[in-house]
Amino acid sequence: MTPRALMCLLALLSIGLAALATTDRPALAQAALPEGVELPVQVRLAVRVLNITRFHEVLGEVGASVEFTQRWFDPAIRFDRVERGSERIDLVGPEAEERLRTMWSPDLVIESMIGVPRTKTVSLSLFHDGRVVLLRRFDADFRVQVAMGAFPFDRQALTLSFVPPRHPAAEVVLTTTEFDRQYSSLAPVISAVNWIPVRLGFRQDTFYGWNARPYSRLTVAAEVWRNWQRYVLRVFVPYFAIMSLSLFLLWAPERVISNTQRAPMVFSSLLALAALSFTFESSFPGSISMNSPIATMISMGYFYLVLVLLLDLLLNQHGSAIARRYPALLIEARRNLRYTVPLIYFGICLLVLLASGDGGATP
């Protein structure tokens, strides 16, 4: 190879390396950890759930507006506040995104997010002493674990798990201090129908990533309670209206309904109870298929109606040998059973409802 050709080859190689270095400079800046900072880098996190717009129990999806603030220390962004005339630099929108491409950031992701956010905004503050405050706000959909075992007295939780996917726990650790917890909040009123916001909780743990290295994770849980009072007319009134037939059978005199009418009435009530259970399952999926108090009450209702029918048939055997030998026995038995049987059943229903009142929150 001639010296002239060698010089041309070296020139082309240097131009290619320069172009590659220019192209990858933002990526390298983001991947390299801040210099002069003790590892792991402490990234403080504060989260504000601004609104929960919808809660779809069937799909296990929640639409919410979330704002989270990241704080860390980077000596590389220090500047002279006297020379600049201010203690910090505030950037918003595209300017903040452009600056983030040229500096290191934890680049947190939310594991439970579905797709991309519908809307998002970003704000960045750089302080003269190296402090960095990055605020992101967006509206998106999230996956949630829904437990209907205590419906309609259930509590659900919108969990947001923040992780730094590019840095293991030896390099970056997510933390939350008392100040961050005070800054974090859950909206006192949300747009999701029939749900009441309660509190915001934090949980810090580690998990093993794709390269078998431990990664830091900070989980924020926004707990909401179902407003069970709105389900009284839709759930409990139809149910107890059907079960009130038992009172009619036990209390109605024989001249009002004949013996041939009692069995068809009970079977009609059983069919109405079955139809009601299918209606509940279609309107509130998971309320009947799981071990919820409504499912328990409906299951007991089948047994209770059949028991009332058998007791009614037994107490109407006036021509039997026992009735002839003890004429007052059936009268006294009916007089006592018309009180005790309904009270026992409705007492059990009340215990089932009270026992489910403190459960149902997802972790």
Side-chain angles (χ1 to χ4, degrees):
M1 181 178 295
T2 62
R4 185 174 182 179
L6 180 60
M7 291 178 62
C8 291
L9 181 61
L10 292 176
L12 292 175
L13 182 60
S14 61
I15 293 174
L17 292 176
L20 181 62
T22 303
T23 303
D24 293 346
R25 187 175 301 167
L28 293 175
Q30 291 182 354
L33 291 169
E35 297 182 357
V37 178
E38 182 180 359
L39 297 181
V41 178
Q42 302 284 332
V43 178
R44 296 165 48 187
L45 190 65
V47 180
R48 296 173 60 203
V49 180
L50 305 177
N51 191 13
I52 299 179
T53 55
R54 68 182 185 93
F55 200 124
H56 203 305
E57 297 96 325
V58 181
L59 300 179
E61 295 181 2
V62 168
S65 298
V66 179
E67 175 187 286
F68 64 98
T69 304
Q70 310 166 55
R71 307 172 191 271
W72 69 90
F73 182 75
D74 187 354
I77 59 98
R78 288 176 176 172
F79 59 89
D80 190 348
R81 56 183 174 178
V82 177
E83 178 181 353
R84 187 172 182 86
S86 63
E87 293 189 351
R88 70 180 190 181
I89 303 173
D90 293 328
L91 303 172
V92 181
E95 295 181 352
E97 295 285 2
E98 183 64 26
R99 182 59 186 270
L100 287 172
R101 296 189 186 98
T102 61
M103 58 179 288
W104 181 87
S105 65
D107 195 20
L108 301 183
V109 299
I110 303 179
E111 294 179 319
S112 58
M113 182 182 294
I114 303 175
V116 296
R118 288 181 289 270
T119 59
K120 61 180 179 180
T121 59
V122 58
S123 302
L124 179 65
S125 295
L126 307 177
F127 290 81
H128 70 95
D129 56 357
R131 289 178 294 140
V132 182
V133 178
L134 174 61
L135 185 146
R136 292 187 181 274
R137 177 183 296 183
F138 52 82
D139 183 77
D141 294 330
F142 305 91
R143 299 185 184 90
V144 293
Q145 295 181 357
V146 180
M148 299 287 290
F151 175 87
F153 307 102
D154 55 322
R155 296 176 294 177
Q156 308 295 340
L158 164 61
T159 56
L160 306 174
S161 297
F162 296 86
V163 296
R166 294 187 290 112
H167 300 286
E171 298 177 352
V172 174
V173 172
L174 302 181
T175 62
T176 176
T177 63
E178 188 64 27
F179 171 80
D180 300 316
R181 292 176 183 269
Q182 293 178 358
Y183 185 74
S184 303
S185 63
L186 174 61
V189 179
I190 59 178
S191 301
V193 181
N194 298 332
W195 292 99
I196 302 174
V198 181
R199 58 175 173 266
L200 199 69
F202 289 83
R203 185 178 70 250
Q204 186 176 359
D205 62 347
T206 58
F207 69 100
Y208 286 91
W210 61 273
N211 54 1
R213 300 180 66 182
Y215 285 77
S216 177
R217 175 168 55 196
L218 186 66
T219 302
V220 181
E223 186 176 349
V224 293
W225 287 7
R226 192 187 299 271
N227 189 2
W228 63 270
Q229 299 177 2
R230 297 190 178 183
Y231 293 84
V232 173
L233 294 177
R234 304 168 62 184
V235 176
F236 296 106
V237 171
Y239 173 76
F240 287 109
I242 295 175
M243 302 310 298
S244 63
L245 175 70
S246 62
L247 300 177
F248 185 69
L249 290 177
L250 293 173
W251 285 81
E254 296 183 6
R255 65 177 181 272
V256 177
I257 52 174
S258 61
N259 293 334
T260 58
Q261 294 176 334
R262 296 176 181 268
M265 292 178 60
V266 172
F267 290 129
S268 299
S269 298
L270 292 174
L271 293 176
L273 194 60
L276 187 64
S277 66
F278 284 113
T279 303
F280 287 165
E281 184 63 26
S282 61
S283 301
F284 317 108
S287 61
I288 302 299
S289 58
M290 299 183 183
N291 190 24
S292 64
I294 298 299
T296 304
M297 291 169 55
I298 288 180
S299 300
M300 293 190 306
Y302 293 121
F303 173 77
Y304 172 70
L305 289 175
V306 174
L307 177 63
V308 169
L309 176 61
L310 294 178
L311 290 175
D312 181 73
L313 294 176
L314 179 61
L315 297 177
N316 283 327
Q317 299 298 321
H318 300 291
S320 62
I322 298 179
R324 290 193 300 267
R325 185 169 183 177
Y326 305 100
L329 178 61
L330 296 182
I331 298 176
E332 290 297 327
R334 176 179 287 276
R335 186 177 301 171
N336 287 275
L337 291 178
R338 67 175 54 176
Y339 289 103
T340 56
V341 173
L343 287 177
I344 291 175
Y345 173 72
F346 288 107
I348 294 175
C349 292
L350 182 60
L351 290 177
V352 170
L353 295 177
L354 293 177
S356 63
D358 57 349
T362 57

